[in-house]
Amino acid sequence: MDFAFIITIFLIGFIGSYISGMLGIGGSIIKYPMLLYIPPLFGLAAFSAHEVSGISAVQVFFATIGGVWAYRKGGYLNKQLILYMGASILIGSFIGGFGSKAMSEEGINVIYGVLALIAAVMMFIPKKGIDDIPLDQVTFNKWLAAVLALIVGVGSGIVGAAGAFLLVPIMLVVLKIPTRMTIASSLAITFISSIGATVGKITTGQVDYYPALIMVIASLIASPLGAMAGKKMNTKILQIILAVLILATAVKIWLDIL
């Protein structure tokens, strides 16, 4: 690996992980297309969809650790939500991560595009009054949360994306969880999800370890910084940024597929 390649991969990891910590997503929604398209633009080695999804799975594991650590105080982590959705998404992501070896690159990209499109539509649905609920009075349908997390887990395990870009709109729109609690709890659930996806990718030989290591180092630096910034931002602005990012990624992936 030459110096330009190392710097490029580090910056992709840093930007993605900063946004990850700020918005409560694993960062793959940004890093997946960046890893796929940016290195070839600079004349550097191109990754396949399988390699990108493998690197993303490992990197998300470390990015979410940093984010959860930054949110550990203040009552933002809903333990029941994390337990129900985390257990379900872990099972689903392992199934998806292990089964993805048999899929074509185009199949992986199509699943990613479908998930991103669903998430984008959900993010533009009005979310009135959810941030008026005190954090210690938040309630939700536990079995609905578990079933939705299982479905997200299977799809996200295939892509190596940990599924937070779908979990966040589900929590906000379907379960009516306040924005900052959604962001913090989503990072914890995504960490659990990434265990299954990472094990699935590693055991089937889909991880390029040197780029993954560079991304991990960038994640551990950038994710806590992003979480600190997210705590200070207006919740409406956080929702808008996430919605725009998910929509832009969905459009880009579908343009390439079609």
Side-chain angles (χ1 to χ4, degrees):
M1 290 191 296
D2 62 17
F3 185 69
F5 184 80
I6 292 169
I7 292 297
T8 302
I9 300 301
F10 181 86
L11 288 174
I12 290 171
F14 191 93
I15 292 165
S17 297
Y18 186 88
I19 294 169
S20 159
M22 185 168 68
L23 300 175
I25 58 175
S28 286
I29 194 81
I30 304 117
K31 286 188 286 281
Y32 186 91
M34 286 174 78
L35 276 171
L36 211 51
Y37 306 118
I38 289 177
L41 282 179
F42 292 96
L44 303 169
F47 295 110
S48 68
H50 280 290
E51 287 172 331
V52 169
S53 63
I55 293 166
S56 294
V58 174
Q59 183 278 329
V60 163
F61 178 84
F62 288 93
T64 48
I65 290 175
V68 170
W69 183 255
Y71 272 110
R72 71 192 184 281
K73 295 176 181 175
Y76 296 115
L77 294 164
N78 187 313
K79 293 179 178 62
Q80 271 199 327
L81 189 66
I82 294 165
L83 179 65
Y84 276 85
M85 296 190 84
S88 293
I89 204 166
L90 177 58
I91 295 166
S93 67
F94 183 78
I95 294 167
F98 197 77
S100 63
K101 182 70 174 176
M103 295 190 65
S104 66
E105 289 198 17
E106 187 178 354
I108 290 174
N109 284 330
V110 167
I111 286 173
Y112 190 79
V114 169
L115 290 175
L117 193 60
I118 294 168
V121 170
M122 290 177 73
M123 281 306 298
F124 285 97
I125 296 171
K127 294 165 277 293
K128 293 178 182 176
I130 60 168
D131 290 313
D132 299 332
I133 307 166
L135 295 181
D136 58 353
Q137 293 176 27
V138 173
T139 59
F140 62 95
N141 185 320
K142 298 177 179 63
W143 295 112
L144 178 62
V147 169
L148 291 172
L150 181 69
I151 295 166
V152 171
V154 173
S156 62
I158 290 169
V159 184
F165 63 98
L166 244 181
L167 283 178
V168 169
I170 284 171
M171 288 186 201
L172 291 171
V173 178
V174 182
L175 302 176
K176 309 293 185 188
I177 307 294
T179 305
R180 290 196 208 285
M181 181 175 278
T182 289
I183 289 170
S185 300
S186 169
L187 281 166
I189 295 162
T190 304
F191 166 68
I192 295 168
S193 164
S194 69
I195 297 169
T198 302
V199 170
K201 296 290 181 182
I202 289 173
T203 53
T204 51
Q206 297 182 65
V207 178
D208 192 336
Y209 289 102
Y210 291 112
L213 177 62
I214 297 167
M215 297 279 280
V216 164
I217 294 167
S219 300
L220 293 174
I221 298 168
S223 186
L225 296 175
M228 284 188 276
K231 285 181 184 177
K232 298 172 185 174
M233 288 181 72
N234 182 289
T235 53
K236 295 295 179 197
I237 294 172
L238 288 171
Q239 288 178 20
I240 291 166
I241 294 170
L242 185 59
V244 170
L245 279 173
I246 292 173
L247 180 62
T249 303
V251 169
K252 174 62 178 166
I253 292 289
W254 280 108
L255 284 174
D256 288 337
I257 292 168
L258 301 172

